[in-house]
Amino acid sequence: MKVKNIVIAGLGGQGVLKASDILADAAFRAGFDVKKSELHGMSQRGGSVSSDVRYGDQVLSPMVPPGEADVLVVLEETQVEINRPTLRAGGVLIGPDLLDPAALKNRKSLNVALLGAASTVLEIPHEHWLAALHANLAEKLHTLNEQSFAHGRAAALARSSAE
Amino acid sequence: MTGERQLLSGDEAVALAALHAGVRLGTGYPGTPSTEILETFDQLGGHAQWSPNEKVALEVGLGAAFGGARTLVTMKHVGLNVAADPLFTAAYTDIEGGLIVVSADDPGLASSQNEQDNRHYARAAALPMLEPVDSQQAYDFTWLGFEISERWKIPVILRLTTRVCHAKTVVHPRAAASNIPEPSFQRNIQARVMIPAYAKPAHQRLRQKLVEIAAWNDAEGPIRLDTGRANLGIVATGIAAVHAREAAPKASQLTIGLTYPLPLGRIRTFATGVDRLVAIEEGDPILADALRAAGIPVECKPEMYRFGELNVARVRRILAGDISPEPVPPKGKPPELCQGCSHRGVFEVLRDLGCIVAGDIGCYTLGVLPPFSAMDTCVCMGASIGVGLGLRQVLPEAQARRVVSVIGDSTFVHSGITGLAEMVYNPPATGHVVLILDNGTTAMTGQQEHPGTGRSLDHSPTGKISFEALGRAMGVQNVHVVNAQDKEPSFQDLIVSLLAKSETSLVIARQPCVLAAPKIRVYEKAAAERISPANCAADGVEP
Ligand SMILES: Cc1ncc(C[n+]2csc(CCOP(=O)(O)OP(=O)(O)O)c2C)c(N)n1
Ligand code: SF4
């Protein structure tokens, strides 16, 4: 399979890195070659954060080249424009506006909800998403995050059928 | 953990390999992007400790290696500057157990004060250097590093870069080593006591070791050849090698794993088989210079690509000889001090008093940004004290009286104590004020313990250095412990009064980092339970 490029972006503390860990783990469990890369170190203090995940038969560079992301997931409205250049022409943008904030049981699981939305355009079987969620989150958060994932997935499917 | 494929960061892969290779001791000082190596090694069950700074970490590691133990020492690139003194002479010695020194470089300055290229250290100190391209190689080269180190009784530098340390890639681990010899001291005075009489022949032995290692590298070193078209040949090192494979998949490529001493024979042969040879390396043109010095015609990247990280797009530009201005990526939101951060109150006061602030490195360096703009210098860890004293020594009195040195608790232990000695020994005529921002953790790099917290790397209780007792013992005239939030007397009043005195002052502003505070409470509770009388009694009766 040709390499799939996903960029996840947001602000420090929103769970960008957690989301990219889950995505990379899910792709890994699905048997793909995976590379995931980001710059971190000072992210706890609210600055911009972004993380690249690439998977396929063979991945070389761990960084998504500018303008080559197939999917861009953004957790914070203000971060959409600054990350848009990474998206390729025809790539899919998944932004926080996809979800009604009131519908999420916990704002903290926005990262997982948007992964649910992204899952509709990624070829990773559901069982691997579930396993990756479980492996990367504390047990007491499993139910909440499974719900958020399903919620995001449903919202993306509803939008694409409306379009 | 053996056998099964895993998705690991480069740092985690080094830690896992260290465990599998039988490392007895891991030492280091935190620094992005190296920090997770020792943290992971500890979590995997290895024996890991934070030292007060990188020099001490390397010295402890060297002692362990002299004693016959496989040893891992980790630090970020600038840490190797601090550890350079032991490094250069350790190179002359014969070690018994394998010793790997990890230098985690940060091209592009994701989280550092400079982007120095530590490949220079391999050449300068005459030590072999391995450079993995991904986590699998980080794992394999840790093993290989121990083999080289023990075969030639020489420390080996494992150079990682941010994208190798923090990128997660797939790793197939091997079986853990069995039959690693137990540490035991063997006297070998001439190989370990570097007085001139013994160091002279040791220098010659070192050069002989390098000749042998270069020959080994040519014959069976970790080199990957991708045979492609003859019109373009790429010789590459480190992470740049995978960018190059992606940028020019049809080219012929030679990827060098042991980058010092170079396998010049292999490279020469490769060069003769291609029409055009380009060196693809991140940072300084070290590979290109070395090949040119050896008479191998090679194209060096244009000067603009010395700066920052490489990526696939930049490698494409290098191969195309494109020196047109690069697109500037949109600026993201800069980091800022957390809401409720204890450093905030301090910088508000320093700003309002118009202080000249000799700053240092840590979260608190963000005091340089608005709304504080209250930092005037920041160079390297510990420099705040020396730089502040230098300013005090020469500035006109009205300015000198406004100078304050600001340093974090971890940074103070790392390299501020000698600065304090300087203040006591050479006090400026106007005196001086040193402010330790003691938030009970090494916050900047993700909340590591240090000798001032009284907890070890694994957060269990251990000896604790009291900064106030230290300041008094060293002869500082005024020592105060405060909370910058205090009202009566206020922190501001205290600083004003100390600036007016022509005496030496140490102010310790103590309040935990808000992100670390909940964890610190948990550690303290666990420690209290450990030493509770009930537990003591239980310990007494159990075998
Ligand atoms: C020689 C060297 N080693 C390590 C680092 C990485 N580093 C930067 S600041 C810092 C310590 C910060 O801790 P502290 O002084 O307690 O300040 P805080 O971040 O808690 O405010 C470290 C480890 C460095 N810049 N230079
Ligand atoms: S991590 Fe701690 S020290 Fe750093 S900015 Fe946040 S509260 Fe302040």
Side-chain angles (χ1 to χ4, degrees), chain B residues 78-392:
Chain B
V78 284
L80 204 53
N81 301 336
V82 178
D85 200 6
L87 183 79
F88 276 63
T89 305
Y92 280 30
T93 65
D94 280 352
I95 54 173
E96 222 27 65
L99 174 61
I100 291 185
V101 180
V102 175
S103 165
D105 290 15
D106 191 14
L109 300 97
S111 184
S112 300
Q113 67 267 36
N114 76 18
E115 57 177 337
Q116 71 182 52
D117 187 332
N118 277 8
R119 291 179 300 159
H120 290 292
Y121 271 115
R123 185 161 174 262
L127 288 175
M129 175 173 276
L130 287 161
E131 292 190 71
V133 305
D134 59 14
S135 303
Q136 181 69 58
Q137 279 198 344
Y139 180 87
D140 293 337
F141 285 6
T142 303
W143 278 92
L144 181 60
F146 285 120
E147 286 156 22
I148 294 172
S149 179
E150 284 166 5
R151 177 160 169 196
W152 281 283
K153 297 182 179 291
I154 191 172
V156 169
I157 304 175
L158 180 68
R159 177 183 182 253
L160 311 176
T161 53
T162 303
R163 297 285 178 176
V164 174
C165 290
H166 285 168
K168 284 194 176 176
T169 74
V170 178
V171 176
H172 297 268
R174 50 174 111 159
S178 47
N179 64 36
I180 304 271
E182 286 294 308
S184 162
F185 188 72
Q186 306 295 328
R187 195 168 214 193
N188 189 348
I189 291 175
Q190 302 197 352
R192 302 213 188 107
V193 182
M194 288 301 115
I195 54 171
Y198 299 153
K200 278 179 202 167
H203 187 192
Q204 308 235 351
R205 280 201 305 277
L206 170 61
R207 284 288 149 187
Q208 184 52 38
K209 290 177 186 181
L210 284 183
V211 170
E212 290 172 22
I213 296 170
W216 173 84
N217 200 9
D218 256 332
E220 51 188 303
I223 300 169
R224 181 188 160 105
L225 172 67
D226 291 285
T227 311
R229 294 186 182 157
N231 62 344
L232 175 61
I234 292 174
V235 53
T237 58
I239 190 83
V242 278
H243 303 327
R245 284 305 296 150
E246 186 162 338
K250 299 207 169 93
S252 294
Q253 182 169 324
L254 197 68
T255 303
I256 315 292
L258 182 69
T259 58
Y260 191 83
L262 282 171
L264 286 172
R266 285 289 297 275
I267 300 174
R268 210 182 296 278
T269 309
F270 179 73
T272 54
V274 293
D275 305 336
R276 175 186 173 210
L277 183 66
V278 186
I280 297 293
E281 57 187 321
E282 215 164 44
D284 295 335
I286 294 174
L287 176 65
D289 284 352
L291 298 190
R292 286 169 167 180
I296 300 172
V298 63
E299 280 176 44
C300 175
K301 62 186 176 180
E303 175 68 8
M304 62 192 283
Y305 301 105
R306 178 199 293 269
F307 309 100
E309 288 189 291
L310 293 185
N311 53 34
V312 175
R314 296 189 90 198
V315 172
R316 285 191 193 121
R317 289 173 59 104
I318 293 172
L319 293 174
D322 186 350
I323 52 164
S324 65
E326 296 178 85
V328 185
K331 263 211 162 10
K333 185 170 174 286
E336 58 180 16
L337 292 173
C338 298
Q339 292 310 317
C341 173
S342 52
H343 299 329
R344 285 179 169 262
V346 171
F347 285 105
E348 280 162 10
V349 166
L350 298 179
R351 173 194 63 200
D352 295 347
L353 292 179
C355 287
I356 296 172
V357 180
D360 223 301
I361 306 191
C363 277
Y364 53 96
T365 314
L366 292 170
V368 70
L369 299 180
F372 314 104
S373 306
M375 192 171 290
D376 296 283
T377 70
C378 167
V379 180
C380 67
M381 288 185 75
S384 57
I385 302 184
V387 168
L389 289 167
L391 286 165
R392 283 256 183 181

Side-chain angles (χ1 to χ4, degrees), chain B residues 30 54 113 343 361 363-364 381 408-411 439 441 443-444:
Chain B
E54 295 85 353
Q113 67 267 36
H343 299 329
I361 306 191
C363 277
Y364 53 96
M381 288 185 75
D409 48 342
S410 187
T411 304
N439 60 3
T441 188
M444 171 87 177

